[in-house]
């Protein structure tokens, strides 16, 4: 039974909803519980369906806590350094310690978790591979993107990108810098003030994930800076790099997190040298064939190591080790059967009774039936 910390976006989308669906394809019966449901609704679901294992995706949800497991075994999935938040540290530490196993999104996160739980395994975030064609780089405009969904929350990275922009501009190259996550007029104003109102900056709002991926197909170079002066930033991993890879956008990234474990010199630029960022960005902007070649090399690595399927395979193997050799009701048995059209039964109840993976659809307002 999956408990995402957020609605179907970001890490909750990729590491809870998507993984739950992929595990069903591997023989598991999974239920994904909307974050909107309160403690009473969770209690009823747990006692109604008697899951073999609870799956907490992060501890940002106040009920994703060892004290609310009702004695059930559980695993914890954590892919951000939330343990540096004083409001979350104790909850994460006790939930990590009490878990049957911990799934960490990066080596940095794993190192912290290992101090609390020896059964910690690294699973990089995976994403579905888009089926649409990606434009050849000869047909793409000279757009450089920093696809951070909330750039103002990362002031050190924003300042790094600002300095990079002006250094590359000083080389005389013509390009547009695209930033994401500017939803309000105040956010747009603050970003424009950081760069100057006359600069060639294009601001995009936060998109639904599919629209976000499609928007990257008009990008020539993708940036992923990580400034380790911020403890929280040290816990970042691939994040929006997944979108670049899916769109076949060459990546320039900091030599932090697990970047160097994935990229090779032929598939990306990994460096902490600001001057090297500028030189390599200029080289990529000048050579569409180089961009095509680097992006294709990275895409092949992406297909084998950072897809939804790759992540699900690792999670599947880890959960089966946790369950062990005992008979796995969550894998082998059907959900309790009730009449799917029983009078008074909620939409959620009918979906679960039919043995489907229950996923929240805000258009149907399923959660309101359980508040």
């Amino acid at each position: 039974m999956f408990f995402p910390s957020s609605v179907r976006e970001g890490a909750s989308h990729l590491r809870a909803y998507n993984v739950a669906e992929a595990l069903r394809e591997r023989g598991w019966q999974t239920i994904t519980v909307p974050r909107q449901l309160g403690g009473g609704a969770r209690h009823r679901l747990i006692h109604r369906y008697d899951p073999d294992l609870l799956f907490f995706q992060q501890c940002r949800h106040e009920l994703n806590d060892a004290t609310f497991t009702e004695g059930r075994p559980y695993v914890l999935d954590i892919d951000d350094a939330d343990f540096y938040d004083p409001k979350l540290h104790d909850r994460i530490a006790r939930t990590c310690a009490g878990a049957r196993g911990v799934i960490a999104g990066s080596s940095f996160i794993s190192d912290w978790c290992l101090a609390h739980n020896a059964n910690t395994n690294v699973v990089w975030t995976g994403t579905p591979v888009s089926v649409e064609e990606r434009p050849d780089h000869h047909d793409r405009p000279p757009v450089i993107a920093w696809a951070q969904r909330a750039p103002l929350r990362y002031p050190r990275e924003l300042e790094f990108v600002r300095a990079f922009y002006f250094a590359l501009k000083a080389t005389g190259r013509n390009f547009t810098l695209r930033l994401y996550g500017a939803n309000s007029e105040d956010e747009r104003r603050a970003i424009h003030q950081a760069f100057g109102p006359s600069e060639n900056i294009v601001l995009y709002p936060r998109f639904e994930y599919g629209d976000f991926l499609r928007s990257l197909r008009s990008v020539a170079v993708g940036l992923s800076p990580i400034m380790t002066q911020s403890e929280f930033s040290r816990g970042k991993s691939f994040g929006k790099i997944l979108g670049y890879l899916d769109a076949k956008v060459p990546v320039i990234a900091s030599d932090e997190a697990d970047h160097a474990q994935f990229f090779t010199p032929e598939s990306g630029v990994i460096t902490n040298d600001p001057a090297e960022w500028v030189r390599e960005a200029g080289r990529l902007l000048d050579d569409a064939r180089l961009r095509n070649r680097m992006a294709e090399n990275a895409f092949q690595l992406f297909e084998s190591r950072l897809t939804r399927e790759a992540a699900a395979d690792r999670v599947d193997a880890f959960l089966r080790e946790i369950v062990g050799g005992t008979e796995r009701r969550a894998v082998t048995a059907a959900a309790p059967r009730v009449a799917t059209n029983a009078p008074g039964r909620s939409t959620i109840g009918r979906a679960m009774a039919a043995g489907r993976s229950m996923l929240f659809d805000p258009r149907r307002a399923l959660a309101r039936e359980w508040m």
Side-chain angles (χ1 to χ4, degrees):
M1 185 172 283
F2 280 73
F3 294 91
S5 278
S6 182
V7 296
R8 190 163 189 167
E9 64 180 20
S12 290
H13 173 62
L14 297 175
R15 297 185 70 91
Y17 284 92
N18 278 0
V19 170
E21 292 171 348
L23 289 181
R24 285 187 61 80
E25 299 166 7
R26 289 157 175 77
W28 296 82
Q29 290 196 14
T30 63
I31 295 171
T32 304
V33 178
R35 73 165 305 280
Q36 291 88 337
L37 301 196
R42 285 189 173 206
H43 172 81
R44 291 193 293 273
L45 289 175
I46 290 172
H47 283 268
R48 174 68 180 86
Y49 291 97
D50 191 25
D52 288 324
L53 203 60
L54 308 183
F55 189 107
F56 289 154
Q57 184 267 322
Q58 296 182 331
C59 290
R60 294 178 185 179
H61 194 295
E62 62 183 5
L63 298 178
N64 284 5
D65 186 321
T67 59
F68 296 109
T69 61
E70 305 193 26
R72 308 289 174 130
Y74 67 92
V75 297
L76 172 65
D77 180 277
I78 177 171
D79 70 315
D80 273 323
D82 291 341
F83 38 79
Y84 285 124
D85 184 341
K87 295 179 293 186
L88 294 176
H89 176 273
D90 290 351
R91 182 191 306 167
I92 296 171
R94 66 172 171 263
T95 305
C96 183
R100 291 291 180 89
V102 177
I103 301 172
S106 68
S107 298
F108 180 82
I109 301 295
S110 175
D111 288 344
W112 186 91
C113 292
L114 281 168
H116 300 273
N117 192 312
N119 191 23
T120 296
N121 191 32
V122 175
V123 177
W124 290 340
T125 302
T127 186
V129 181
S130 299
V131 298
E132 293 91 343
E133 287 293 320
R134 288 82 169 164
D136 186 280
H137 275 272
H138 289 89
D139 300 322
R140 300 194 191 197
V143 172
I144 296 178
W146 181 34
Q148 171 53 246
R149 69 188 302 269
L152 293 174
R153 297 181 189 174
Y154 295 86
R156 290 184 178 88
E157 284 83 356
L158 180 59
E159 174 55 28
F160 181 91
V161 171
R162 192 191 74 84
F164 162 84
Y165 167 81
F166 284 109
L168 184 58
K169 182 181 177 182
T171 67
R173 290 180 173 85
N174 180 35
F175 66 97
T176 298
L177 179 65
R178 181 191 297 175
L179 303 184
Y180 288 75
N183 274 24
S184 70
E185 188 57 37
D186 287 344
E187 289 172 321
R188 298 175 68 85
R189 186 181 302 111
I191 294 172
H192 277 303
Q193 286 176 349
F195 287 88
S198 63
E199 296 305 323
N200 196 13
I201 311 295
V202 174
L203 304 182
Y204 278 25
R206 287 187 287 274
F207 286 137
E208 182 275 332
Y209 192 65
D211 292 334
F212 165 70
L213 292 179
R214 283 185 284 275
S215 76
L216 292 176
R217 293 176 194 146
S218 59
V219 171
V221 179
L223 308 179
S224 186
I226 294 179
M227 302 292 104
T228 56
Q229 297 94 327
S230 166
E231 291 180 323
F232 186 79
S233 291
R234 295 176 68 192
K236 291 294 182 183
S237 187
F238 293 97
K240 298 305 180 288
I241 286 178
L242 296 172
Y244 298 148
L245 296 172
D246 182 81
K248 293 190 176 180
V249 175
V251 175
I252 302 177
S254 299
D255 189 4
E256 303 294 345
D258 291 347
H259 295 164
Q261 297 180 38
F262 174 80
F263 287 101
T264 65
E266 296 74 31
S267 61
V269 178
I270 307 300
T271 178
N272 288 336
D273 182 354
E276 191 71 8
W277 275 59
V278 174
R279 284 193 296 271
E280 290 301 311
R283 191 165 71 98
L284 287 165
L285 285 177
D286 294 343
D287 191 341
R289 288 186 298 178
L290 174 61
R291 298 202 305 273
N292 278 330
R293 184 166 62 250
M294 184 174 288
E296 187 60 43
N297 289 338
F299 188 79
Q300 292 177 14
L301 291 175
F302 164 63
E303 286 188 305
S304 65
R305 303 181 69 185
L306 287 176
T307 63
R308 166 187 179 268
E309 304 309 316
D313 284 344
R314 291 183 63 86
V315 173
D316 177 40
F318 187 60
L319 296 185
R320 289 180 188 275
E321 288 180 2
I322 290 173
V323 173
T326 60
E327 193 68 20
R328 294 184 298 271
R329 288 173 294 131
V331 180
T332 61
R337 294 294 174 182
V338 296
T340 60
N341 59 351
R345 181 162 298 280
S346 70
T347 306
I348 289 179
R350 291 194 297 272
M352 291 179 175
R356 298 192 297 272
S357 176
M358 192 282 292
L359 302 175
F360 178 61
D361 182 347
R363 293 170 299 182
R364 296 169 65 187
L366 301 184
R368 286 196 293 271
E369 299 182 34
W370 285 82
M371 290 297 185

